[in-house]
Amino acid sequence: MQFLSGTVTVSLPGNLFDTNLPGIEHKQNLGMAEDGTVFAYNRGVNEWFYELRMRLTDAQRSSLRAFLRNTVQFGTTTFAFTPDTGIDIGAGATTSVAARYWQDSLTEKPIAPGRWEVGCVLHAVSTGTANPSTA
């Protein structure tokens, strides 16, 4: 997978396959009247969440850290998130979406000397029945 902002590209191994990709939350207000009538007020916004868990080398971890801290400044700037070949994250297989880092921290766990399991959450938005914006 790749993260791209301007001229800075970070290529990383794919997301571990035991995580949900993507998670979609449709924003609407649901309510019920005394007679059992259900009312649904559609706010027309979908949030797309990409929970990534990757196994990285020291160099890959360093590149990801620099990208998040210096290039996009965590959630400040959107960037292009491209999945591995054949993976559809909402806009079609292998199609990039405009995403934003959606956490205040970066989760890093050492799993072996020079190897890390890194987790993060990315976020995209769409309206109505549309897919997330392509990047």
Side-chain angles (χ1 to χ4, degrees), residues 43-104:
R43 294 190 285 167
V45 175
N46 297 306
E47 290 186 286
W48 301 70
F49 294 96
Y50 308 101
E51 295 183 40
L52 305 178
R53 279 191 24 234
M54 304 159 283
R55 295 215 168 118
L56 306 178
T57 64
D58 281 332
Q60 291 165 332
R61 173 182 169 236
S62 179
S63 294
L64 178 60
R65 271 184 170 188
F67 181 82
L68 294 175
R69 292 177 61 211
N70 305 325
T71 305
V72 296
Q73 299 174 6
F74 287 89
T76 303
T77 308
T78 60
F79 58 92
F81 166 49
T82 308
D84 289 331
T85 302
I87 303 293
D88 182 354
I89 56 172
T94 319
T95 302
S96 300
V97 299
R100 194 177 288 270
Y101 191 74
W102 206 246
Q103 290 179 275
D104 293 330

